[in-house]
Amino acid sequence: MNEYEDQKTLVFDFSALKDHSNIPTQFIWPEEERSIIDAPHLQVPLINLSAFLSGDQEKVMEACQLVDEACRKHGFFLVVNHGIDSKLIADAHRFMDSFFELPPLEKEKALKKQGELFGYSSSLIGRFQSKLPWKETLSDLAEAMNKLSLQIVELLGASLGVGKARFKDFYEETDSIMRLNNYPVCPKPELTLGIGPHSDPSSVTILHQQQVEGLQVFVDNKWQKISSNSDAFVVNIGDTFMALSNGIYKSCFHRVVVNSEKPRKTLAFFLTVNSDKLISPPSELVNDWSPRIYPDFTWPEFVDFTINHYRADMHTLKAFSNWLHQKKKN
């Protein structure tokens, strides 16, 4: 039996537990890491993207100030008037609903093979045998989201003071992916997590969530939740853009909690950098008061580190920098 065939036996049927009062032990997390259902709301700015793109200087400055303040503190903000057709979003959610309602044997036909970016993944595939995430995913490309991501990096460039165009060319051609996430109803949500605490290794994450909350961010030494807004996209800075900004913009620890009443489904787009591009901050962001924090690196080097050498935490970039220095020394 080859590795792919063996993986197929690890697809988990979450629907089999919907009428049960217990969950398998593999999904139970240590008590200190479990959900905080009544977490307070994190106040994040709501950015009118079309107003920023209009060129109206007052509106541009307002958007940049809000984004800059949020990204220096925690790296999260919301965008509305983003230009993505609501029908396209609704169609994506309908497709997601229909796919994740399929029986396990049908989902297995779309299994993601090792080393590939696209396909179906159950939480049991390629994971540790404990502290499993209560979720399943389906990955694919999305042209509309790629266009939106380039507008987001224009906003980030303007907010950092290096100009709207500074990062746009850098991200013109990428291997970014769209991931469809399903967090099924859980009979014991207080014992598990949809996704454990992590920071995104990618540059920018753009997330669409409907009316079921679940996203929590670790800010001011406590977990805080981000309200659901189906008209908006949640944007957060990833580790790669944190390095590109010379540490000015933060890649914040976050996680997903589940619930016992409604499934939560999200569309997540991860903006990455082409493998041949060097991740190095603009010279305007490096000076005597803000010296270089991280060495130059490529996306494949960072992926290798996060997959094979280090489990993501609040110190991923620092640990990666030390690992890279040691690797190049040897």
Side-chain angles (χ1 to χ4, degrees), residues 99-268:
F99 179 83
F100 286 125
E101 288 171 4
L102 290 173
L105 287 176
E106 289 299 309
K107 293 177 186 174
E108 286 176 3
K109 296 176 181 179
L111 271 178
K112 179 169 61 177
K113 297 181 182 179
Q114 186 175 19
E116 291 186 352
L117 291 174
F118 314 115
Y120 170 74
S121 176
S122 169
S123 64
L124 288 175
I125 296 176
R127 297 286 183 175
F128 300 106
Q129 292 305 304
S130 63
K131 297 203 302 184
L132 292 173
W134 191 268
K135 73 163 186 173
E136 52 188 349
T137 67
L138 182 66
S139 301
D140 198 357
L141 287 172
E143 184 179 346
M145 294 299 291
N146 191 63
K147 179 181 178 181
L148 174 59
S149 71
L150 294 180
Q151 294 171 339
I152 296 295
V153 297
E154 284 188 74
L155 174 58
L156 293 173
S159 301
L160 276 167
V162 298
K164 290 172 59 176
R166 191 58 182 266
F167 298 121
K168 189 172 182 181
D169 290 344
F170 192 70
Y171 287 103
E172 275 289 353
E173 296 180 3
T174 73
D175 294 322
S176 303
I177 63 168
M178 186 83 183
R179 181 176 297 158
L180 314 182
N181 300 309
N182 181 39
Y183 305 92
V185 168
C186 180
K188 294 285 186 179
E190 69 278 5
L191 299 182
T192 191
L193 289 171
I195 301 178
H198 68 286
S199 56
D200 294 336
S202 54
S203 294
V204 176
T205 301
I206 306 173
L207 179 78
H208 185 268
Q209 47 184 2
Q210 292 182 309
Q211 299 303 325
V212 181
E213 293 183 345
L215 178 60
Q216 295 186 349
V217 184
F218 195 70
V219 181
D220 296 331
N221 294 315
K222 62 184 177 183
W223 288 105
Q224 302 184 54
K225 58 187 176 184
I226 291 187
S227 300
S228 292
N229 182 342
S230 59
D231 293 326
F233 281 96
V234 180
V235 178
N236 74 271
I237 302 299
D239 288 338
T240 300
F241 197 88
M242 182 174 172
L244 198 58
S245 73
N246 198 33
I248 296 172
Y249 283 0
K250 301 300 185 286
S251 174
C252 200
F253 227 33
H254 55 283
R255 67 183 187 181
V256 172
V257 302
V258 293
N259 70 83
S260 60
E261 298 178 1
K262 294 181 178 180
R264 180 174 183 267
K265 297 184 178 72
T266 62
L267 313 173

Side-chain angles (χ1 to χ4, degrees), residues 243-303:
L244 198 58
S245 73
N246 198 33
I248 296 172
Y249 283 0
K250 301 300 185 286
S251 174
C252 200
F253 227 33
H254 55 283
R255 67 183 187 181
V256 172
V257 302
V258 293
N259 70 83
S260 60
E261 298 178 1
K262 294 181 178 180
R264 180 174 183 267
K265 297 184 178 72
T266 62
L267 313 173
F269 179 86
F270 300 93
L271 177 66
T272 62
V273 182
N274 269 4
S275 60
D276 61 343
K277 291 189 175 179
L278 199 63
I279 297 161
S280 181
S283 58
E284 300 96 313
L285 303 180
V286 180
N287 52 51
D288 292 340
W289 299 275
S290 183
R292 282 292 300 271
I293 299 178
Y294 312 108
D296 292 347
F297 63 93
T298 64
W299 173 241
E301 287 177 315
F302 194 38
V303 170

Side-chain angles (χ1 to χ4, degrees), residues 40-90:
H41 282 92
L42 176 65
Q43 298 301 312
V44 296
L46 191 66
I47 308 301
N48 185 334
L49 190 59
S50 67
F52 167 76
L53 296 171
S54 71
D56 182 304
Q57 286 305 303
E58 185 176 344
K59 293 177 180 178
V60 169
M61 289 179 63
E62 179 184 0
C64 288
Q65 181 179 349
L66 290 171
V67 168
D68 187 61
E69 291 174 354
C71 289
R72 286 174 184 268
K73 184 174 183 179
H74 49 65
F76 278 78
F77 57 94
L78 303 178
V79 294
V80 292
N81 296 327
H82 40 69
I84 296 192
D85 191 336
S86 59
K87 183 180 182 302
L88 182 62
I89 296 173

Side-chain angles (χ1 to χ4, degrees), residues 293-295 297 305 315-327:
I293 299 178
Y294 312 108
F297 63 93
F305 177 74
H315 310 289
T316 303
L317 274 176
K318 183 178 180 181
F320 172 63
S321 297
N322 294 336
W323 177 81
L324 199 58
H325 281 306
Q326 190 63 39
K327 180 182 177 182

